[in-house]
Amino acid sequence: MSIGTTIRKLRRERDMTQDALAEALGITAKAVSQWENGKTQPDLSLIQPLCHLFDVTADELLEININRKNEERDALLDRAHTLSKNGLKKEAREILFEGMKLYPNDYKVMDSYADATWYLLYTENMGADFPEEERAALKDECIRIYEKILDECTDDRLRHSAISCLCSYYAERGEDDRAYALANKMPIICQSREFLYSLISKGTEYRDCEKNLLHNGLIQFLVIRMANNYKLDDGTWMYTPDEQAALRDKTIALLALLFEDGDYFFYNDILRKMHMGQTRYYLKKGEPDRALVHLLHAADCTEADLAHIRKGKNVNTSLLFRGMEHYAQGIMTSSRDNDAAQMLRALEKTEFDPIREREEFTSVIQRMKRLAGPNEIPAG
């Protein structure tokens, strides 16, 4: 393999354009093109800078075993993903932090590290671990990483991920114009992957694509829109507490309608949150009996969700989603403790004192204690 071919291979594997490589080396893009076409070779003075940019040794640059290095990188990313999936977000980020040192110019590692940092910063029970000054510094670091990916990387998936995160960061900083400018670069819903699959596919594949499209749309609707409250421009809230309770009831009823067999799987987590919201609502209203009904449902959802995770793979039988497979290994959590342990902690709060001595409450506590533990790595 010639050095030009090697440079082209390394550059593409790092999703770097010829222009970006040329700018980093202080040369012209034409010079890079001539190397890769075998017309010329880089000056000896550029070998070390090339090694630094590609994070390889001179021996590797001149005759490389790239596959082994990529396998080592992928193994590091897999270890971090497994820890993250099991609720060990901080440990995952530590591995990725070391990965940034080992592979400083690898966009996949950059994206994974910035994504892990984002989870820690914006998760309620972990974000508080960072002092405000450190939080600000980490956000700046993530912005620099995502901007670098956006400027240099040619992988659309990584670029879209960077745009999504930068929109969030810019909006938080009040830089709405920059956020809107990036958002406008993204495709509209009818140009999304799932939508296009439904146009291309036929027969059984079409059925599966339609189910995925509906599933993803339902997630967006329930998680991002349904029963979420927002403050309007005049300072008032979109929904009153009574209206929020009505929306939670609608969410519960909608899922019951769509999953008539009770095969909620992924949606058990959403249902649990809806029922816990209703439990708190009725306690504030002074209606302990109605609160207990929802608390028992929340416990049922918690138990079902943990069973789903332990099994790993589940298949819907309800008519609309019949045959759709759900893989629990895709579930990401921000806590080391499973849902039962988290529910136990929540039930320690004084807001539940009006029902603490009730038999139903005690039964929920006993169930959650039996189920409580660390997050499990899903089967499969």
Side-chain angles (χ1 to χ4, degrees):
M1 184 184 294
S2 70
I3 188 171
T5 303
T6 298
I7 289 172
R8 181 172 61 246
K9 179 179 174 65
L10 287 169
R11 177 179 61 77
R12 288 179 174 175
E13 286 177 346
R14 285 152 180 76
D15 297 306
M16 183 181 289
T17 64
Q18 288 185 341
D19 287 337
L21 177 58
E23 183 178 354
L25 295 172
I27 59 175
T28 65
K30 182 179 179 180
V32 174
S33 176
Q34 288 181 329
W35 297 346
E36 295 184 358
N37 289 330
K39 295 180 179 179
T40 62
Q41 292 188 355
D43 188 90
L44 288 177
S45 64
L46 293 175
I47 296 299
Q48 194 57 41
L50 281 165
C51 290
H52 176 72
L53 281 170
F54 293 138
D55 188 30
V56 296
T57 65
D59 288 342
E60 288 175 316
L61 181 66
L62 298 173
E63 189 59 44
I64 301 181
N65 184 359
I66 289 295
N67 289 336
R68 181 178 177 183
K69 198 170 188 69
N70 286 342
E71 288 172 1
E72 292 172 350
R73 177 209 60 194
D74 290 343
L76 180 144
L77 292 175
D78 287 342
R79 289 200 303 274
H81 177 75
T82 298
L83 287 170
S84 181
K85 184 171 58 180
N86 202 32
L88 303 177
K89 295 285 187 180
K90 291 183 178 179
E91 290 80 352
R93 181 176 174 272
E94 289 172 4
I95 285 180
L96 293 167
F97 181 74
E98 294 303 315
M100 290 279 286
K101 298 177 184 177
L102 293 171
Y103 312 101
N105 299 302
D106 189 292
Y107 297 117
K108 287 185 179 179
V109 176
M110 291 181 199
D111 178 69
S112 296
Y113 169 76
D115 184 58
T117 303
W118 184 92
Y119 267 103
L120 293 180
L121 288 174
Y122 289 94
T123 302
E124 183 178 353
N125 63 334
M126 290 189 177
D129 293 345
F130 296 99
E132 190 56 39
E133 188 173 324
E134 185 177 358
R135 284 174 61 85
L138 288 173
K139 289 178 184 179
D140 288 342
E141 180 185 31
C142 288
I143 289 173
R144 286 194 298 271
I145 289 172
Y146 286 127
E147 287 178 339
K148 181 178 177 65
I149 291 172
L150 197 55
D151 289 341
E152 300 177 1
C153 181
T154 59
D155 185 319
D156 284 341
R157 186 188 66 80
L158 294 178
R159 287 175 56 81
H160 290 169
S161 173
I163 288 173
S164 176
C165 293
L166 284 173
C167 281
S168 177
Y169 282 121
Y170 290 157
E172 183 182 1
R173 287 183 165 192
E175 300 178 37
D176 293 351
D177 289 345
R178 297 183 73 183
Y180 277 120
L182 286 181
N184 286 333
K185 294 181 178 180
M186 297 291 280
I188 58 178
I189 291 177
C190 65
Q191 296 171 351
S192 68
R193 177 184 60 191
E194 287 77 13
F195 190 90
L196 294 176
Y197 278 177
S198 71
L199 296 179
I200 300 168
S201 58
K202 298 176 180 64
T204 301
E205 185 182 14
Y206 174 77
R207 178 204 64 187
D208 295 340
C209 287
E210 286 292 284
K211 291 183 188 300
N212 280 319
L213 186 61
L214 179 59
H215 171 64
N216 290 328
L218 189 59
I219 291 172
Q220 291 292 315
F221 177 62
L222 293 177
V223 175
I224 298 177
R225 298 287 173 236
M226 194 72 162
N228 281 351
N229 212 358
Y230 303 92
K231 186 171 284 189
L232 304 176
D233 292 346
D234 61 4
T236 62
W237 290 94
M238 182 181 295
Y239 303 118
T240 66
D242 289 345
E243 289 172 335
Q244 279 193 284
L247 286 171
R248 285 192 289 266
D249 277 338
K250 288 179 184 292
T251 301
I252 293 167
L254 175 62
L255 286 172
L257 179 66
L258 294 176
F259 299 94
E260 71 275 5
D261 290 346
D263 46 343
Y264 298 111
F265 305 140
F266 167 84
Y267 297 98
N268 274 307
D269 186 55
I270 294 174
L271 279 172
R272 177 178 62 85
K273 292 173 181 175
M274 295 297 108
H275 284 298
M276 286 299 289
Q278 294 301 74
T279 302
R280 293 184 171 94
Y281 170 75
Y282 285 117
L283 284 174
K284 289 180 181 178
K285 296 275 286 186
E287 300 183 42
D289 290 340
R290 297 185 73 176
L292 280 167
V293 169
H294 284 285
L295 181 61
L296 289 168
H297 283 310
D300 291 340
C301 293
T302 299
E303 188 166 357
D305 197 30
L306 292 175
H308 164 47
I309 292 172
R310 282 195 299 273
K311 188 174 180 182
K313 176 185 174 181
N314 297 270
V315 182
N316 284 118
T317 58
S318 293
L319 180 60
L320 191 59
F321 293 96
R322 186 170 57 201
M324 186 171 185
E325 297 177 347
H326 294 262
Y327 293 88
Q329 52 261 54
I331 295 175
M332 302 297 285
T333 176
S334 58
S335 174
R336 299 185 185 192
D337 298 327
N338 66 15
D339 289 346
Q342 293 179 62
M343 190 169 176
L344 278 174
R345 284 201 304 273
L347 294 176
E348 292 174 355
K349 296 180 180 179
T350 57
E351 62 184 318
F352 296 98
D353 285 351
I355 55 175
R356 195 170 301 280
E357 303 304 320
R358 295 281 292 267
E359 182 181 344
E360 298 94 328
F361 187 90
T362 301
S363 71
V364 168
I365 293 295
Q366 291 172 345
R367 285 173 66 188
M368 294 304 102
K369 283 183 176 180
R370 288 196 301 270
L371 296 168
N375 268 310
E376 305 175 44
I377 298 176

